[in-house]
Amino acid sequence: MNKRIRIKDIAKVAGVSKGTVDRVLHNRGNVSTKARDKVIAAMEKLEYEPNVIASALASKKSWQIAVLIPGHEGDPFWEQPLEGIHRAVKTLRDYGVQIDYYPFRDADPEHFRSLGQRILRTPYDALLVAPSFARESHELLDHCDAKGLKYVEINTLLERETSCFLAYIGQDSYASGVLAAKLLNFEMSPGATAIILHLEKEVYNARHLLDKQAGFEDFFNKQAEKHIHVVQESYGDIQDLTGTECFIREMLAKYPATQGIFVSTSKLFRVVPAIKKYQQKPVSLIGFDLIEQNLAYLASGDISFLINQNPYKQGFLGMMNLFNHLVLKRDIQRLQFLPLDVVMRENVRYYVEEEYEKMHIVI
Amino acid sequence: MNKRIRIKDIAKVAGVSKGTVDRVLHNRGNVSTKARDKVIAAMEKLEYEPNVIASALASKKSWQIAVLIPGHEGDPFWEQPLEGIHRAVKTLRDYGVQIDYYPFRDADPEHFRSLGQRILRTPYDALLVAPSFARESHELLDHCDAKGLKYVEINTLLERETSCFLAYIGQDSYASGVLAAKLLNFEMSPGATAIILHLEKEVYNARHLLDKQAGFEDFFNKQAEKHIHVVQESYGDIQDLTGTECFIREMLAKYPATQGIFVSTSKLFRVVPAIKKYQQKPVSLIGFDLIEQNLAYLASGDISFLINQNPYKQGFLGMMNLFNHLVLKRDIQRLQFLPLDVVMRENVRYYVEEEYEKMHIVI
DNA sequence: ATTTGGTCTGTGCCCGTACACAGAGTAAAG
DNA sequence: CTTTACTCTGTGTACGGGCACAGACCAAAT
């Protein structure tokens, strides 16, 4: 019985035409204050809520969105956010949402910068970005702020107080470091050494890695009973197989009491063979992301834990949040931390077989 | 440029009117085989995909769905699925989705049965059910199958091979038992006792509890190194506070080597005070669900782990799957196991502050 | 030959919002 | 008093698919 209130109903109650109601609703101007007041009163009285469907059908606007994230040649992790983005766009097609994909090369800030400049030259409605390189990203986003181009960040959080920063969707990097430490701690004995290993170049320019390290160190420093010794190492040239093997051998020789290793990215699988080769005593390994190679080592027992950063959701929700803001004009939350899923042999399949989730669309 | 194909376009190519195309699309009959063939040929050639928005706007059909789940007076757990259902319905309102809520009393199969009969007498388009009582649920669902009333199950899986069984959304109970065992095992020493405790009446009639127990026992039986002794206990009358305390005291006296207790439902918090009172040595507790009381004990360190069964998602996705099947005529997956999230002090806030998730709608 | 009953097909309005356009009204300028 | 410029308001159509209805067509019955 409670029939849905329509624009027509408001017009009748306010004693104006639906055109005038529409102008009030969309702040299109050219409305006398008298008419506006009557319309607003009628709207409040009738508790009008717009019909999203009719609105979407009538609107012929289209939304161009630039997507600036790492390509997945360098890192298979990035397949998943892209998949999430595509799934979102597919279901939003009727709403006129379209994307241009700008994949930048892993570990190549210059490439990031040049793609960013191309994006700035094109008239986009919004930007979805993974701001991997702190310096270059701030530079790009400063330009966005100046131009009024709104953006959503995924995977790496660069906190910005501007109005063009719509939202961040991704993990809380500090907390993921704490979690990794707590999990490793289960399998370590007093006095042992825990290594945090960054397999990246220019770690100082990657905010999320520094945050993970801080969390990891803080846990062990606060938890004093076991006296775990925490050290940090980094190695950027993992394409070079023999170099990587050498580095691991020397690292393990340097810390003979090592009982746990935390790799701060998805690239743990790249060093597992070398660790197995050169480490005599048992060692617990923990890393990020459920990519194929990591999962194989989880299944074989070589990796103890993987922390799932929900990459698919990062892309999917990133897109959906842009849609909610731009098209549906809804408020969106600025900081959206995704769950840090603890994945082990026993529960891994629920994270891998998440196809069910991909069948759905978030509006 | 690649303009969206409309019914009008197909009609033009096939040399018929859009009315005929519509009849073919919806199998409404009254179409000559000649016309049908032409339309189908045109559709395949043009790769028609319906415009969901326009379709939803034009259709004035409404969908009546019965929701038969436990009320949350007996168990706060059930607030969350209900919230998920409401959120889904709210966003689907424009699509004409409406629900009737039939909360049944915890531990009252007769109430379940009588509500089920009322539902069968009303002309619903579908049913969303938590089949807590095996016997009574099979009885109800047999009637649904006979009547052609389609249903989605949440939280407890009753496997049925019929075509009216659309989907199950919830945890894999066996796997959650295995997981609980693995987690407890971290904190137990060799030769200790692990208790699985059911705080329910009629455990034999609750399939998911039996499955959890099987998983729990299997883990410890297969993992032989520590020689953990597994025992099972159950107590149904937790409303009776002194009785519960008595029961716990006797149980702990009976198993002096207890180092871990696994409560198979969300009701762990009900026995924590008694356990603290009567257990001298350290004991690890694990249970289900992030309800307020459990979270307080997780924060204070009395509970080691909680396994999140994603109750909100059970309701939300259950509703969304019905919507996808009924309204959008999409295929849905029959078994949809939700992730078993391992929640500890370190990552709890990401599961509690999941408001971001509730802002969205899955179509 | 006309009527009847049935199958098949096209036309046109409906849904609720967006927006273009035309027209009314008013005030200032000539 | 007329013209011009501007603000304000109502009308009408588009959006794409659902669906009712009218009517065309054909075969069988009267």
Side-chain angles (χ1 to χ4, degrees):
Chain A
M1 288 307 91
N2 43 16
K3 218 169 155 284
R4 189 69 181 268
I5 301 299
R6 308 171 317 231
I7 282 188
K8 211 194 283 181
D9 301 318
I10 297 176
K12 193 186 279 176
V13 170
V16 297
S17 75
K18 65 197 180 85
T20 304
V21 177
D22 179 65
R23 275 181 281 269
V24 174
L25 277 173
H26 297 89
N27 288 316
R28 245 194 286 281
N30 289 340
V31 179
S32 63
T33 45
K34 213 172 108 191
R36 146 175 274 114
D37 290 345
K38 281 193 295 180
V39 169
I40 289 175
M43 267 171 51
E44 281 170 3
K45 186 180 159 200
L46 298 179
E47 295 182 348
Y48 169 75
E49 282 182 49
N51 183 323
V52 197
I53 298 175
S55 162
L57 180 64
S59 164
K60 36 188 135 286
K61 204 176 287 174
S62 89
W63 306 91
Q64 297 294 332
I65 296 172
V67 173
L68 180 59
I69 60 177
H72 49 260
E73 297 79 30
D75 185 351
F77 171 80
W78 285 99
E79 285 169 18
Q80 299 257 359
L82 184 61
E83 206 183 316
I85 290 167
H86 277 138
R87 174 67 56 155
V89 170
K90 194 177 166 192
T91 4
L92 298 179
R93 202 180 37 169
D94 288 337
Y95 292 85
V97 173
Q98 294 175 334
I99 56 163
D100 285 337
Y101 174 44
Y102 294 84
F104 61 84
R105 281 190 294 275
D106 211 22
D108 187 349
E110 267 317 307
H111 191 213
F112 178 93
R113 174 181 279 142
S114 77
L115 290 177
Q117 283 168 353
R118 265 176 56 194
I119 290 170
L120 287 170
R121 270 182 263 119
T122 323
Y124 284 108
D125 295 294
L127 167 67
L128 180 68
V129 62
S132 307
F133 314 111
R135 200 175 341 102
E136 289 76 11
S137 299
H138 273 304
E139 186 188 310
L140 170 63
L141 297 181
D142 284 345
H143 280 109
C144 289
D145 288 330
K147 251 188 103 183
L149 180 65
K150 294 177 170 180
Y151 48 88
V152 165
E153 300 177 358
I154 62 172
N155 199 54
T156 306
L157 170 61
L158 289 191
E159 278 186 84
R160 298 172 66 85
E161 296 301 319
T162 60
S163 65
C164 284
F165 171 79
L166 296 179
Y168 164 75
I169 292 114
Q171 73 284 13
D172 179 333
S173 297
Y174 178 87
S176 74
V178 175
L179 183 61
K182 163 135 187 175
L183 291 169
L184 272 193
N185 187 51
F186 278 137
E187 305 188 327
M188 293 176 69
S189 39
T193 300
I195 305 177
I196 171 166
L197 173 58
H198 303 294
L199 295 176
E200 294 290 336
K201 292 173 188 158
E202 301 201 37
V203 175
Y204 59 89
N205 197 25
R207 183 59 200 281
H208 58 299
L209 301 187
L210 299 176
D211 289 341
K212 285 174 182 176
Q213 181 174 334
F216 191 74
E217 292 171 343
D218 285 359
F219 175 87
F220 284 117
N221 292 340
K222 275 178 200 156
Q223 190 261 20
E225 22 174 325
K226 272 198 187 170
H227 291 98
I228 302 292
H229 183 224
V230 187
V231 297
Q232 181 258 321
E233 288 288 328
S234 50
Y235 183 77
D237 203 11
I238 44 171
Q239 302 299 339
D240 172 8
L241 292 179
T242 49
T244 307
E245 197 174 314
C246 247
F247 165 79
I248 293 293
R249 194 188 58 221
E250 285 166 19
M251 182 185 84
L252 292 174
K254 191 164 155 197
Y255 307 112
T258 298
Q259 285 188 9
I261 301 175
F262 169 41
V263 172
S264 60
T265 57
S266 61
K267 295 168 185 163
L268 172 52
F269 68 92
R270 300 222 185 232
V271 294
V272 172
I275 292 173
K276 282 174 76 172
K277 193 166 168 188
Y278 294 109
Q279 173 76 2
Q280 269 82 32
K281 294 175 202 157
V283 62
S284 295
L285 305 183
I286 183 166
F288 285 98
D289 304 321
L290 308 186
I291 57 182
E292 214 178 303
Q293 299 96 322
N294 281 339
L295 289 171
Y297 287 123
L298 192 72
S300 66
D302 295 309
I303 291 179
S304 301
F305 300 99
L306 288 171
I307 297 176
N308 180 19
Q309 304 188 93
N310 284 291
Y312 176 86
K313 278 192 182 170
Q314 290 189 17
F316 186 76
L317 293 176
M319 212 63 222
M320 281 299 167
N321 271 278
L322 274 177
F323 170 74
N324 272 283
H325 177 84
L326 293 177
V327 184
L328 304 186
K329 317 279 184 216
R330 293 197 192 151
D331 284 337
I332 60 177
Q333 206 175 313
R334 281 170 81 93
L335 294 185
Q336 302 184 29
F337 292 118
L338 295 181
L340 296 169
D341 298 318
V342 179
V343 181
M344 339 179 223
R345 253 152 93 174
E346 283 70 20
N347 63 350
V348 61
R349 63 189 178 110
Y350 302 103
Y351 294 95
V352 177
E353 293 173 3
E354 261 194 277
E355 275 305 317
Y356 74 92
E357 188 114 27
K358 301 182 183 171
M359 294 178 55
H360 300 91
I361 302 158
V362 174
I363 288 194
Chain B
M1 288 306 92
N2 42 15
K3 219 173 152 286
R4 190 70 181 270
I5 300 300
R6 307 168 320 229
I7 281 191
K8 210 194 283 180
D9 302 318
I10 297 177
K12 191 185 280 176
V13 171
V16 297
S17 75
K18 72 194 182 85
T20 304
V21 176
D22 180 64
R23 275 181 282 270
V24 174
L25 277 174
H26 298 89
N27 289 317
R28 249 194 281 282
N30 289 340
V31 179
S32 62
T33 44
K34 212 172 110 191
R36 149 173 272 112
D37 290 347
K38 282 193 296 184
V39 168
I40 289 176
M43 267 172 50
E44 281 171 3
K45 186 178 158 201
L46 298 179
E47 295 180 351
Y48 172 74
E49 282 182 48
N51 183 322
V52 199
I53 299 176
S55 162
L57 179 63
S59 166
K60 35 187 134 286
K61 203 176 287 173
S62 89
W63 306 91
Q64 296 295 332
I65 296 173
V67 174
L68 180 60
I69 60 176
H72 50 260
E73 297 79 31
D75 184 351
F77 171 80
W78 285 100
E79 285 170 18
Q80 298 257 359
L82 184 62
E83 204 183 317
I85 290 167
H86 277 137
R87 173 67 56 157
V89 170
K90 192 177 167 193
T91 4
L92 298 179
R93 201 182 40 169
D94 288 337
Y95 291 87
V97 174
Q98 293 175 335
I99 56 164
D100 285 338
Y101 174 44
Y102 293 85
F104 60 84
R105 281 190 293 275
D106 213 22
D108 187 349
E110 268 317 307
H111 192 212
F112 178 93
R113 174 182 277 142
S114 77
L115 290 177
Q117 282 167 354
R118 265 176 56 195
I119 291 171
L120 287 170
R121 270 183 263 118
T122 323
Y124 284 108
D125 295 295
L127 168 67
L128 180 67
V129 61
S132 305
F133 313 111
R135 201 177 338 104
E136 290 76 11
S137 298
H138 273 305
E139 187 188 310
L140 170 63
L141 298 180
D142 284 344
H143 281 110
C144 290
D145 288 330
K147 249 188 103 183
L149 180 65
K150 294 176 170 182
Y151 49 87
V152 164
E153 299 177 0
I154 61 172
N155 199 52
T156 307
L157 170 61
L158 288 191
E159 278 186 84
R160 298 173 64 84
E161 296 301 320
T162 61
S163 66
C164 284
F165 171 80
L166 296 178
Y168 164 75
I169 292 113
Q171 74 283 13
D172 179 333
S173 298
Y174 178 86
S176 73
V178 174
L179 183 61
K182 165 138 186 172
L183 291 169
L184 272 192
N185 188 51
F186 277 137
E187 305 189 327
M188 293 176 69
S189 40
T193 299
I195 304 178
I196 170 166
L197 173 58
H198 303 294
L199 295 176
E200 294 291 336
K201 292 172 188 159
E202 302 202 38
V203 174
Y204 59 90
N205 198 23
R207 183 57 201 281
H208 58 300
L209 301 186
L210 299 177
D211 288 342
K212 285 173 181 175
Q213 181 174 334
F216 192 73
E217 292 172 342
D218 284 1
F219 175 87
F220 284 117
N221 292 340
K222 276 179 198 153
Q223 191 261 20
E225 23 173 325
K226 272 199 189 171
H227 290 99
I228 303 291
H229 183 222
V230 187
V231 296
Q232 181 257 320
E233 288 288 331
S234 50
Y235 184 76
D237 203 13
I238 45 172
Q239 302 299 341
D240 172 6
L241 292 179
T242 50
T244 307
E245 198 174 315
C246 246
F247 166 80
I248 294 292
R249 194 188 58 220
E250 284 165 20
M251 182 185 83
L252 293 173
K254 191 164 154 196
Y255 308 111
T258 299
Q259 286 188 9
I261 301 175
F262 169 41
V263 171
S264 59
T265 57
S266 63
K267 295 166 184 163
L268 171 53
F269 67 92
R270 300 223 183 229
V271 294
V272 171
I275 292 173
K276 283 175 77 172
K277 191 166 170 189
Y278 294 109
Q279 172 78 1
Q280 271 80 32
K281 296 175 201 157
V283 62
S284 294
L285 305 183
I286 182 165
F288 285 98
D289 304 322
L290 310 186
I291 57 183
E292 215 179 302
Q293 298 96 322
N294 281 339
L295 289 171
Y297 287 122
L298 192 72
S300 65
D302 296 308
I303 291 179
S304 302
F305 301 99
L306 288 171
I307 297 176
N308 180 17
Q309 304 187 97
N310 284 291
Y312 177 86
K313 278 193 183 170
Q314 290 189 18
F316 187 76
L317 293 176
M319 211 62 222
M320 281 300 167
N321 271 278
L322 275 176
F323 170 74
N324 271 284
H325 177 84
L326 293 177
V327 185
L328 304 185
K329 316 280 182 217
R330 294 197 192 150
D331 285 336
I332 60 176
Q333 207 176 311
R334 282 170 80 93
L335 294 184
Q336 302 185 29
F337 292 119
L338 295 181
L340 294 167
D341 298 318
V342 178
V343 181
M344 336 177 226
R345 254 152 93 172
E346 282 70 21
N347 63 349
V348 63
R349 62 189 180 110
Y350 302 104
Y351 294 94
V352 179
E353 293 174 3
E354 264 193 274
E355 275 306 316
Y356 74 91
E357 188 115 26
K358 302 181 184 173
M359 295 179 54
H360 299 89
I361 303 159
V362 174
I363 290 194

